[in-house]
Amino acid sequence: EAKRQGRGRYELFEPSLRKRVHDDAELENDLRQALARDEIRVVYQPLIDLATGRLASVEALARWHHPKRGLISPLAFIPVAEGSGLIGPLGERVLRTACHELVRLRQMLGDRAPQTVSVNVSRAQLRQTDFVARLSELLRSTGIGPEALMLEVTESLAAQDEGVQSVLREVSALGVALSLDDFGTGYSSLSCLHALPVNQVKVDRSFVSEALDSNYHRVMIEATIRMAKALHLQTVAEGIETLEQAALMQYLGINKGQGYLYSHPLNAGELEAWAGQQAAHTR
Ligand code: C2E
Ligand code: MG
Ligand code: MG
Ligand code: MG
């Protein structure tokens, strides 16, 4: 009797489960094709030096225009890539494109080009045995200089993963900087600063959007800044959407700002135009 009940329950849930598994498999297939056809694009969002108002850096963000489903968020396709071994080629494609784009921007814009480009990396990507060797070869072949590259990691990626932590120490030894993304949202933000050779923390958008109305969120940002200064880390506020938020972040002493107030993520051509114009305004 219990068996029959169990079986009934199983059948009740099975169709939706089967559909989800099917959807993921389909997405994985499409992603494999998109990579083979070179359809993954990279866009760049400016980071502004809050003290000078000048372009400081850009963050590379992956984009996938699916032929039937339209634009798919990286929040949806990065996990599929991670679960299927496709994150290696995808991540490498983003890294490569971003480094070459920095070379091109330097040629076009000279000292108005961003000083650094940061690229998000995920756990499965860092766990590839040849990640550090390939990264160092990429730096050599583009000649951008390791200090011009920053990798963005989240604490959940590195937490309790000795393998990943040691890869990140090797990356840091190459001279590539590490930025701790979405800071404050996880369970181990503080211990992460000890476990990893971090150079920068990015205060999560959820704190920035609440900071004007919520004493708690503002106090958390203040504490993060004080800690970062004592540890000689740079600070970034992500998701700045209003002038009021920008003014508060500058007043509190955040080094760099990123968000729709300054610019949405831009393709390479748009970024070049934006950087050229922006430099003209701030000179
Ligand atoms: P993230 O690294 O925290 O990137 C910031 C996200 O916030 C981006 O979303 C960006 O478009 C968005 N954003 C920027 N300014 C604002 C703002 O003012 N308001 C709001 N509401 N949003 C803003 P996106 O491009 O959809 O990327 C989402 C996440 O996907 C990224 O979060 C990152 O974790 C991941 N991701 C994106 N590209 C890659 C990649 O190449 N590799 C890996 N491993 N992960 C990636
Ligand atoms: Mg990021
Ligand atoms: Mg972030
Ligand atoms: Mg975020």
Side-chain angles (χ1 to χ4, degrees):
E1 186 64 336
K3 202 172 157 194
R4 260 187 54 174
Q5 225 181 18
R7 207 187 127 115
R9 233 179 262 141
Y10 176 68
E11 278 170 359
L12 189 68
F13 287 112
E14 201 207 12
S16 70
L17 182 66
R18 197 196 293 142
K19 182 167 186 325
R20 209 172 64 218
V21 169
H22 175 76
D23 282 357
D24 275 7
E26 198 176 82
L27 209 57
E28 182 184 322
N29 254 335
D30 293 354
L31 186 59
R32 186 169 285 117
Q33 273 194 8
L35 276 164
R37 296 185 189 145
D38 217 12
E39 288 171 354
I40 301 297
R41 297 280 166 256
V42 182
V43 290
Y44 304 89
Q45 189 175 33
L47 277 75
I48 301 301
D49 181 331
L50 290 180
T52 64
R54 294 186 60 161
L55 172 65
S57 177
V58 291
E59 176 175 10
L61 296 159
R63 291 290 178 269
W64 179 20
H65 290 270
H66 189 281
K68 288 196 204 99
R69 300 190 205 189
L71 191 65
I72 300 183
S73 166
L75 295 173
F77 71 80
I78 294 289
V80 172
E82 279 177 336
S84 63
L86 293 172
I87 193 67
L90 193 158
E92 173 145 350
R93 151 110 195 146
V94 176
L95 256 174
R96 225 161 248 292
T97 306
C99 290
H100 283 284
E101 181 55 22
L102 183 60
V103 172
R104 196 187 71 87
L105 285 172
R106 283 177 179 173
Q107 285 164 355
M108 305 306 291
L109 298 168
D111 65 353
R112 292 168 303 157
Q115 280 156 11
T116 58
V117 58
S118 55
V119 178
N120 297 283
V121 289
S122 49
R123 180 200 296 260
Q125 189 183 356
L126 293 170
R127 281 194 145 279
Q128 291 185 294
T129 45
D130 55 354
F131 178 80
V132 177
R134 295 173 84 96
L135 180 65
S136 114
E137 170 54 23
L138 178 62
L139 290 171
R140 198 201 56 75
S141 66
T142 55
I144 62 163
E147 68 290 338
L149 180 65
M150 203 172 230
L151 298 188
E152 297 202 0
V153 298
T154 57
E155 62 176 74
S156 61
L157 162 156
Q160 289 168 348
D161 190 330
E162 189 44 57
V164 160
Q165 291 175 13
S166 107
V167 169
L168 290 174
R169 281 192 292 272
E170 286 180 60
V171 166
S172 179
L174 288 178
V176 172
L178 290 187
S179 180
L180 198 51
D181 211 345
D182 306 335
F183 189 78
T185 55
Y187 295 102
S188 54
S189 299
L190 297 183
S191 59
C192 210
L193 292 177
H194 179 62
L196 296 177
V198 171
N199 307 87
Q200 172 174 285
V201 296
K202 297 185 82 169
V203 174
D204 188 65
R205 173 158 60 89
S206 57
F207 290 91
V208 176
S209 64
E210 296 293 328
L212 284 159
D213 308 312
S214 151
N215 189 49
Y216 169 83
H217 290 86
R218 197 174 56 254
V219 166
M220 289 299 134
I221 298 175
E222 286 171 344
T224 303
I225 294 168
R226 211 169 309 129
M227 181 191 65
K229 282 196 172 140
L231 295 172
H232 307 289
L233 310 177
Q234 287 280 302
T235 49
V236 178
E238 56 175 31
I240 296 181
E241 295 183 349
T242 68
L243 280 168
E244 289 78 10
Q245 289 168 354
L248 178 58
M249 293 307 130
Q250 189 183 1
Y251 170 78
L252 294 176
I254 292 270
N255 300 118
K256 286 171 242 167
Q258 175 180 9
Y260 296 162
L261 172 68
Y262 306 106
S263 174
H264 282 256
L266 305 169
N267 68 35
E270 292 167 338
L271 174 64
E272 189 190 324
W274 189 92
Q277 265 185 356
Q278 206 255 350
H281 285 308
T282 52
R283 272 191 175 186

